[in-house]
Amino acid sequence: MKHCTRSLSGMLFGMLLALLFTSVAVAQNASVRGYVADAETGERLQGATIALQQPGAPLLGSATDGDGYFIINRVPPGTYTLRVSFIGYTTLEQPLTLAAGDVVQRRLELTPSPAEIDEVVVEAQAETGVTAVVAGLQTLDAAQIERVPMPGVTGDLASYLQTVPGIVAQGDRGGQLFVRGGSLDQNLALIDGLPIYMPFHILSFYSAFPEEIIDGTDLYTGGFGAQYGTRMSSVVDVRARNGNKQFFSGAASGAQFLSTLRVEGPLVPGRVSVLGSVRQSLIEDAAPELFGQRFPYRFGDRFGKVHALISASHSVSFTGLHTFDRGDLAGTKRRFDGSPDAGASSTPPDSAEVGWENTVYGGRYVYRSNFIPLVAELVAGRSEMQNDIGPQGTPERTSGIASTDAAAHLTYFLGGGHEIYLGGRWRRSELDLELGGQFQEIEILQNEIEEVTAYLETSFSLQNGAVSLQPGLNVYALPDRSDMWFEPRVRAVWQPDFLSRRHRFSAAWGLYHQTIVGLNDERDVGNIFTAWVPVLADAPVPQAMHAIVGWSGQVVPGVSLAAEGFYKDLSNLSVPVFSVFPSFTTDLQPADGHAEGLDLRLEVHDRPLSYDFTLDGYISYALSRVTYETETLSYHPSHDRRHQVHALVHASRGEISMTASWQYGSGLPFTASGGFDEWLFFTPDADVTETPGSVRVLYDEPFARRQPTYQRLDIWAERRVERGRLVGTLRAGVVNVFNRANLFYFDLFTLQRVNQLPLTPSLGFKLEVR
């Protein structure tokens, strides 16, 4: 392929040779690997802790992955105690003697022991709660996501993300998230290693990632490591769980917003499983007229995964996902006289209808070597997205992106917490759009672009584990253009011994580039249409620099705090040219920007209350500022939310629980209407004394005004009943208890306002077979 591709190939070859020579040098050590499973059901357990203990020697250990698999390499010969522990299970201990070169395989089974839950659950929550953030990274599991209730009965990643400080959402509609000053197109979302371009639904409670299919999620609000490339703001890396390999189970739920069905079970017991999920909105049919508003929204998703354990060293999985959304942004507005609109002719037609679809499918192969301390992973698949704005069938603007991906990742274990990560990704994307002249010189476009990334990263510990470092380098290349960028990155964590390791200091820094960008006409208030285009060959590629410093710790038993400061420097952005006179066509201009802010989080774990209730919850505050600068203008873009607060309180007693969730956000910038005039199109045969002109709106200073503040209180009550393998859940609640008129969409030409959801009750029931 061109010089940059040959350079990447040579670099990867050299790295592989270094790994192979290293493996020869460590052959005198032993290796322990295997699986951890439930002794009663045979279900493999993710997150179990395996430790090798020897008097007077450093502790060696690992944790099981999504397949229940673990590996401990570079173990010096000797006699050890193998200790396996997991929340809710009796700890298992076995003697183990290792000789030089031994490769020991073990299947370890743990017996359930509910009595142990109370002893360790507090510590587990402290490690995985909202304050367990490390330089922009939060590792989430399904239990954390389920903690944030929403309309319906199951949790969803989208609802959880809106509680994270530094993430800005328009509200309960729109399906857009902005992360620490980055724009919508700068977010990277992955499902089993494959990209999904518009993962959030038009009602912002929901996404393509329901809690029931999630095994784990790495959320980076910035400072992500060398493994991730092609985006420059944030990463949401979702790992879908594998289906049950021992017996069939499932769940079904019904609610007026969204109903769900999930089925999973063994195709070949103990070896091959399937997991399927279907979700479908009912709001358009179940509540066409709710509290004087229409809800013309239809959305849903379909997910399926087949996972197979070929042998102790080989596993393969296939994942498929499809999402769809369509709705009328202005469909909830009332008639001009203030009465509910029931489709009367007094409501003028508009083109505020939007829609988008995602289709993702692919496979993943994992090899765990029995000869060298190496885990290899191969991922390949296809991702497609299409979105449009305007009436269905005859849209005004359309945009689509389809990409073919292939990636390889190698993890090499050197022992003592030292690991090396090596890999790369190839992606070819096809882009097509038809913008109807919205942007000058970009009307109808079909293009292809090839992207190649390669990375090398290592993690190691110092000072007996008190300090951990993770430096890395990502190389980003465009073979078709012979361009290449080197992106150094580093993460560091320090848990000082003199503070009993209850306090953790962290930092991250990195450089990032992005070639495929999304164009949004920021002149629109509430616009959610994005056109994906490649950066022009002669234009500079957008770049970002991230810097993060943070601290987290437990101040008193059961109470933890976290604080993070961040700075993002952005350059070579493309933004619309602003003019007093509006038109459906605008030129683009380069811009630079920067974002800085401070996030604070306070969390309380399992505090006893009256009447045997237990209380837990958290409150977070985010302070930030985003600024864009062009040659002639400095302004704050439409996602610059200065102040944001979220608080959640959860009280439970046995099968009953109650949750209150409160959000506050200061107003977002927008460009107001400065007035109206009458525009005449002069031609030689025009008679201005008889031909009427067209009423035209005039723009005010760009983004000089702020929308009203956003505020919403939701209250939920839940009853959960377990009877053997059957679990029933009833959830009732109210969204926007105070019926606050939060702004969603505003038409600068007609001055018509559309609000977010009013006071909206929700009732749902779920029946699960475990």
Side-chain angles (χ1 to χ4, degrees), residues 135-338:
L137 168 63
Q138 275 187 269
T139 299
L140 310 174
D141 57 24
Q144 289 176 264
I145 296 169
E146 189 181 25
R147 190 179 181 188
V148 180
M150 56 170 209
V153 191
T154 59
D156 193 287
L157 182 60
S159 290
Y160 183 91
L161 292 180
Q162 294 176 55
T163 72
V164 176
I167 295 183
V168 174
Q170 289 178 312
D172 44 51
R173 275 177 276 187
Q176 294 193 4
L177 297 180
F178 304 88
V179 182
R180 285 186 171 178
S183 59
L184 177 71
D185 60 300
Q186 296 169 5
N187 303 324
L188 175 63
L190 300 170
I191 176 74
D192 280 349
L194 298 172
I196 175 171
Y197 291 100
M198 293 187 69
F200 302 103
H201 285 304
I202 195 167
L203 288 186
S204 299
F205 303 111
Y206 311 105
S207 70
F209 313 122
E211 160 261 326
E212 289 190 321
I213 72 168
I214 292 178
D215 185 26
T217 300
D218 290 333
L219 168 64
Y220 292 89
T221 53
F224 42 92
Q227 177 182 348
Y228 303 101
T230 73
R231 293 294 183 271
M232 63 182 204
S233 180
S234 70
V235 175
V236 178
D237 189 353
V238 177
R239 300 174 297 279
R241 67 182 185 85
N242 305 323
N244 194 313
K245 291 183 173 62
Q246 304 303 320
F247 49 81
F248 281 93
S249 60
S253 68
Q256 77 267 35
F257 279 93
L258 189 69
S259 292
T260 69
L261 175 66
R262 171 179 56 84
V263 178
E264 61 181 290
L267 298 179
V268 178
R271 301 190 70 86
V272 183
S273 66
V274 62
L275 169 64
S277 170
V278 176
R279 301 196 302 169
Q280 177 67 51
S281 65
L282 299 179
I283 186 67
E284 186 176 31
D285 300 319
E289 290 287 332
L290 185 64
F291 293 94
Q293 291 195 342
R294 295 190 297 119
F295 288 84
Y297 302 121
R298 187 173 294 275
F299 60 93
D301 46 65
R302 318 284 188 254
F303 172 83
K305 182 176 183 179
V306 176
H307 181 267
L309 294 170
I310 302 173
S311 69
S313 298
H314 305 268
S315 66
V316 64
S317 63
F318 301 93
T319 301
L321 172 68
H322 178 71
T323 76
F324 57 92
D325 289 81
R326 180 154 295 276
D328 185 357
L329 296 183
T332 56
K333 64 187 176 190
R334 296 168 177 263
R335 296 194 323 200
F336 296 157
D337 61 6

Side-chain angles (χ1 to χ4, degrees), residues 595-750:
E596 58 264 347
L598 174 67
D599 296 344
L600 302 174
R601 315 174 193 213
L602 169 67
E603 186 170 16
V604 177
H605 313 279
D606 295 331
R607 310 295 292 182
L609 289 178
S610 303
Y611 304 103
D612 296 325
F613 272 90
T614 300
L615 174 72
D616 65 84
Y618 58 86
I619 182 170
S620 64
Y621 168 72
L623 171 67
S624 66
R625 182 176 64 179
V626 187
T627 305
Y628 284 180
E629 295 180 352
T630 69
E631 290 185 356
T632 59
L633 180 67
S634 176
Y635 66 96
H636 303 292
S638 58
H639 53 278
D640 174 40
R641 175 158 279 164
R642 295 296 175 84
H643 305 279
Q644 186 165 293
V645 182
H646 187 275
L648 185 141
V649 178
H650 176 80
S652 61
R653 185 184 70 176
E655 299 176 337
I656 300 174
S657 64
M658 294 176 289
T659 305
S661 175
W662 177 68
Q663 299 181 50
Y664 167 84
S666 58
L668 298 170
F670 77 104
T671 303
S673 298
F676 295 87
D677 70 356
E678 191 167 349
W679 179 71
L680 298 171
F681 186 68
F682 292 100
T683 61
D685 57 349
D687 186 352
V688 297
T689 62
E690 296 183 1
T691 304
S694 300
V695 177
R696 179 175 61 172
V697 64
L698 304 178
Y699 284 134
D700 203 343
E701 183 180 350
F703 297 102
R705 301 281 294 276
R706 291 270 174 174
Q707 299 177 25
T709 58
Y710 180 88
Q711 190 174 169
R712 197 181 87 212
L713 173 67
D714 305 337
I715 295 180
W716 306 91
E718 185 175 299
R719 174 70 185 272
R720 179 182 173 95
V721 179
E722 300 187 21
R723 298 293 184 267
R725 290 188 62 192
L726 295 179
V727 180
T729 304
L730 178 66
R731 178 184 292 171
V734 179
V735 176
N736 196 7
V737 171
F738 297 133
N739 199 26
R740 181 180 172 87
N742 294 305
L743 178 65
F744 169 57
Y745 177 79
F746 190 81
D747 192 325
L748 292 178
F749 289 85
T750 65

